[in-house]
Every structure is written in C-alpha cells, then in structure tokens.
Amino acid sequence: MNQSYGFGLGTSDAGDKLVSKVNPGGLADGKLFVADQIVAINGTDIRGASHEDTIALLVAGLSVELNIVRRMAPPGAGPMRQGSISTVAPGMHIA
C-alpha cells in the first residue's frame, strides 16, 4: 500500500525524529508542525530507532498515533507541549 500521512520525516544529528515538512491539505495539516519531534508511534518509543525502523512503524497499519514534543510552537500556540495525534490511513473513513 502506498500511503501518505501528509508529512516528511527527518532525523537530526542527535538522532531525534523530526517533522521536516507538512503538506498543505494533507492529513497532518494543522496537527503537526515543522520541527515537531516524534517520540512514539502507536505506543512504541522510537527514540534511538533507525530512520528505516521508524518508517516501517509508520506504514505498518491502517492507522497511526504519534506522540510528539512540540519543539517550536506555531504562532499563537503557546509554549512547547507534548501531545498526540491519531488518524486513519488515506482512503479510510471513520463512521
């Protein structure tokens, strides 16, 4: 299955998994922001995981829940915070 949650993933020199871009109109638009650090995927801690293992977790199922640390707050969002987003894969609908 070729799926996209509407964001790019990068790895910092320190190994942190960071949102590198958010596609306008994509599933992550308004939920993730550039520089958000992803710390867990579907309950699995990814700190220290390889980029390849992280991608494998992202595409492993029909839905994804991300635990993030907001590193750079968007305008009006307040200070850094932890949070999570949850969504289903493209083409899937919640009744």
Side-chain angles (χ1 to χ4, degrees):
M1 175 188 290
N2 184 12
Q3 64 184 19
S4 172
Y5 290 107
F7 70 95
L9 179 71
T11 302
S12 73
D13 290 340
D16 296 335
K17 305 304 180 274
L18 306 174
V19 174
S20 60
K21 68 177 180 175
V22 178
N23 299 334
L27 290 173
D29 192 15
K31 297 176 181 137
L32 292 177
F33 297 92
V34 171
D36 281 352
Q37 178 185 3
I38 300 171
V39 295
I41 300 171
N42 294 332
T44 300
D45 190 324
I46 62 163
R47 290 172 283 202
S50 71
H51 187 82
E52 293 77 16
D53 288 344
T54 301
I55 296 296
L57 284 170
L58 281 170
V59 300
L62 295 177
S63 65
V64 66
E65 181 177 333
L66 304 176
N67 290 2
I68 63 162
V69 174
R70 178 120 318 135
R71 300 180 101 189
M72 296 175 65
M80 288 177 45
R81 66 177 183 83
Q82 286 190 300
S84 65
I85 69 165
S86 180
T87 188
V88 294
M92 304 298 291
H93 299 281
I94 299 173

